Amino acid sequence: MLKGRNLIKPNDLTVSEIDEICGLAEQIIVDPNSFSDVCRGKILATLFFEPSTRTRLSFEAAMLHLGGAVEGFSDAANSSTAKGESLSDTIRTVSSYVDVIAMRNPKEGAALVASQYSNCPIINAGDGGHYHPTQTLTDMLTIRALQGGFEGHTIGFCGDLKFGRTVHSLAEAMSRYKNNRYIFISPNELQVPEYVTQELDEAGIEYTTAERLESVIGDLDILYMTRVQKERFFNEQDYIRLKDSYILDNQKMSLARKNMIVLHPLPRVNEIAPEVDNDPRAAYFKQVKYGMYVRMALIAKLVGVL
Ligand code: NCD
């Protein structure tokens, strides 16, 4: 039963609940009109204490396509947080107006705290460098559509694996499926944190690390590119030194398999050259579309209308 539940980290959902949400998203893709009224009278609040384009707008578009309404803020400076209000008080207040809240906050653990004070489901739309479970659902729906399922993939995670919450979330979520293997491609300073590798060890996932993308790209079924997370660096010099560590271009793509797909949560900065956009293996703009449909499915389930 998904009605009334929170989604803080990807593994809050069981494997069969992920199937249920992806299955509903696929039904919506086939016949969106028959879902255009299911959330009539329901309200989604989007509380974004950190910048966003896709995540916030896709949540809002998702609710509008379901016939519901949206309210919220996209900048903490426009909310009572600027007057010193605590997160718990903001959540107590907003959750008495609406049916579901999608929240992004720069602090790790903020969504979990919010869920302890909320009268309605909280969806974590990113908590600092921690987790981003709806991006994971987006990634998984894309993988299911383009690579036929969740098992038996060699996945290369490339870029900022230290601060990239989308990486932490997807790595944990895919570790529950059989025969997946990971290659973590990053500069030494941006390696995946220990709390993630610990989970992978517990799940018995095989993973290796690499510093050069060229040396492993030919082994991959899925290449998950990420941006170096400027906003999480303490020191601008370190960011400048590391920001262009990886640039995927047509030359590197020529070393990859014909059926590999390239995913990226976006926004991209320099890490994928625009020339790659025309390669049929570039799936990051399709991924954007899947993100809206999977959020439609998730909202409908948590609100309890489907
Ligand atoms: C990601 C995020 O916010 O973590 N973006 C997104 O939600 N699509 C990735 C990023 O900002 O690099």
Side-chain angles (χ1 to χ4, degrees), residues 50-52 54-55 104 125 132 135 165-166 227 229 231-232 264-267 295:
E50 221 189 30
S52 168
R54 268 152 299 274
T55 305
R104 170 171 289 187
H132 190 350
Q135 182 62 46
R165 55 193 173 198
T166 62
R227 161 182 84 87
Q229 305 280 300
E231 64 276 31
R232 316 235 181 270
H264 191 309
L266 302 178
R295 289 185 175 102

Side-chain angles (χ1 to χ4, degrees), residues 131-239:
Y131 290 115
H132 190 350
T134 63
Q135 182 62 46
T136 301
L137 289 172
T138 301
D139 303 337
M140 291 181 80
L141 183 62
T142 312
I143 291 170
R144 182 157 137 143
L146 304 181
Q147 294 290 36
F150 301 138
E151 295 182 356
H153 301 308
T154 299
I155 308 175
F157 292 94
C158 180
D160 186 346
L161 311 187
K162 180 177 180 186
F163 297 117
R165 55 193 173 198
T166 62
V167 170
H168 309 155
S169 291
L170 184 60
E172 281 193 25
M174 292 295 284
S175 72
R176 296 189 295 184
Y177 299 88
K178 283 200 201 102
N179 299 327
N180 289 323
R181 193 167 75 92
Y182 299 163
I183 306 181
F184 291 121
I185 309 146
S186 72
N188 206 20
E189 291 101 313
L190 297 181
Q191 282 187 10
V192 82
E194 226 176 83
Y195 77 89
V196 177
T197 50
Q198 248 168 31
E199 296 235 2
L200 302 183
D201 290 336
E202 279 159 29
I205 273 273
E206 189 192 323
Y207 58 88
T208 52
T209 58
E211 279 208 48
R212 289 186 66 242
L213 177 55
E214 295 88 319
S215 62
V216 294
I217 194 170
D219 296 335
L220 305 177
D221 303 305
I222 298 163
L223 171 58
Y224 197 87
M225 292 296 295
T226 62
R227 161 182 84 87
V228 176
Q229 305 280 300
K230 183 179 182 187
E231 64 276 31
R232 316 235 181 270
F233 276 74
F234 292 114
N235 177 338
E236 176 143 18
Q237 288 311 313
D238 287 344
Y239 170 70

